[in-house]
Amino acid sequence: MQFDDDADLDTSEVQDVRGSRVPGGRATIGGGIVGIIALVLGLLFGVGPEQLGLSSGDSTPAASVSAQGQVQASCRKGRDANTREDCRVLAVVNSVQDYWSQEFPRRGGRYTPAQTVFFTGRVPTACGTATSAVGPFYCPGDRKVYLDLGFFDDLRTKFGSTGGPFAQAYVVAHEYGHHIQNLMGTLARSQDGRQGAGSNAVKVELQADCYAGVWAHHATTTPDPKTGRPVLTRLTDQDIEDGLDAAAAVGDDRIQEKFQGRVTPESWTHGSAQQRQQWFRTGFDTGDMGRCNTFAR
């Protein structure tokens, strides 16, 4: 995975509040193994903390002297993305939004950009106060993606992913898939309170996987409007394998087997390892978001 060394990274697309003292209510969830499973399955690669009863606290992110400080100071060029993890994630955000901002007009729509918030510890959002334990998520209330970069270590050490830079890119692109769904009005279909292998919750997550694959298909040919050159210049077969491996690692069946010792499809919220790989591959192979209609199956 390689970025254009001379690309100008757009730091305005990331709000960096890592290390900040953030006021607001304490995120809570039921204790014990049931609470852990609900937390992992309900929010990992999911949407808003309020869906599991996390306390709302202060719903407006607090101002911080560190906001954008680390990223803005250190992540100026594509060459920085080739050497630093936070700059790499920023570059992926730039690439993902370059693609969708060009794809929407081709389909007669208008793309509204979304920020990604880097945080540590806990963070207040329009969807409630969340801790790092919830993993990456998209909040439709403020149209932001929230990410503690420490999750990428957990993806490898706790969930068994092989890791790698594109595993991180898959995570980011999946969350922006939820932003696409929010703009199109399909995200709300996941909020009917139902679970299970055939539920809308699962269909929404699999569609976000497919949208991540669509971006990956076009990533190395989508020009940055400022330079006319793609921010991301090279993806290898191994990169795509790392993405597929990450998708499988966070399948409901894999997580349930690991944390509760048995698979219970009636409580799925995100889909099986095989399904998540299948839909990412569908998006990547076709490059057509029109092929991502998980609700038709």
Side-chain angles (χ1 to χ4, degrees):
M1 186 174 178
Q2 186 78 22
F3 296 93
D4 176 7
D5 280 343
D6 296 322
D8 292 318
L9 301 184
D10 184 356
T11 59
S12 71
E13 294 185 351
V14 167
Q15 181 184 2
D16 187 357
V17 298
R18 290 173 293 173
S20 303
R21 291 179 60 85
V22 181
R26 180 168 60 89
T28 59
I29 191 167
I33 189 64
V34 173
I36 293 172
I37 295 300
L39 183 64
V40 172
L41 296 184
L43 284 174
L44 185 62
F45 288 16
V47 296
E50 81 289 353
Q51 291 178 308
L52 284 179
L54 297 177
S55 64
S56 59
D58 178 0
S59 64
T60 303
S64 166
V65 295
S66 69
Q68 291 191 304
Q70 298 178 59
V71 165
Q72 196 161 42
S74 303
C75 304
R76 301 295 186 90
K77 291 286 188 178
R79 65 178 61 93
D80 301 319
N82 289 322
T83 58
R84 286 177 56 113
E85 180 184 66
D86 52 358
C87 301
R88 177 165 62 243
V89 175
L90 166 63
V92 170
V93 170
N94 288 174
S95 175
V96 169
Q97 298 210 100
D98 282 346
Y99 172 69
W100 290 115
S101 66
Q102 295 170 50
E103 178 64 14
F104 261 51
R106 284 195 289 267
R107 293 178 175 269
R110 180 176 179 271
Y111 180 74
T112 303
Q115 276 193 326
T116 288
V117 179
F118 291 170
F119 74 98
T120 52
R122 64 190 178 97
V123 64
T125 81
C127 296
T129 298
T131 72
S132 298
V134 305
F137 65 93
Y138 171 74
C139 174
D142 55 25
R143 293 184 174 181
K144 292 182 179 181
V145 170
Y146 289 86
L147 175 62
D148 185 329
L149 297 181
F151 170 76
F152 295 133
D153 290 331
D154 292 341
L155 184 61
R156 180 174 48 82
T157 61
K158 295 180 181 179
F159 296 97
S161 168
T162 56
F166 193 78
Q168 300 172 1
Y170 157 72
V171 171
V172 174
H174 173 99
E175 295 308 329
Y176 274 89
H178 287 313
H179 180 55
I180 298 306
Q181 292 169 325
N182 194 31
L183 295 178
M184 297 181 68
T186 55
L187 184 59
R189 299 177 72 169
S190 69
Q191 298 172 356
D192 59 8
R194 297 179 181 177
Q195 297 180 337
S199 67
N200 283 342
V202 167
K203 293 173 182 178
V204 161
E205 294 299 330
L206 296 179
Q207 186 177 62
D209 283 335
C210 188
Y211 286 161
V214 170
W215 160 74
H217 177 95
H218 296 282
T220 59
T221 58
T222 298
D224 180 341
K226 297 185 295 294
T227 66
R229 303 188 308 273
V231 173
L232 181 59
T233 58
R234 182 168 64 90
L235 283 178
T236 66
D237 291 343
Q238 184 58 55
D239 289 325
I240 301 305
E241 288 302 315
D242 287 344
L244 288 166
D245 186 77
V250 292
D252 280 330
D253 52 343
R254 293 272 187 96
I255 293 176
Q256 288 181 335
E257 182 67 36
K258 178 180 289 289
F259 285 93
Q260 67 183 24
R262 66 187 188 281
V263 177
T264 54
E266 64 272 13
S267 65
W268 285 5
T269 57
H270 287 65
S272 70
Q274 186 274 332
Q275 287 175 314
R276 301 199 73 165
Q277 287 187 318
Q278 172 194 339
W279 282 103
F280 175 84
R281 176 61 76 178
T282 294
F284 180 71
D285 287 347
T286 66
D288 180 5
M289 68 181 297
R291 298 288 293 275
C292 296
N293 186 5
T294 56
F295 296 92
R297 301 190 181 189

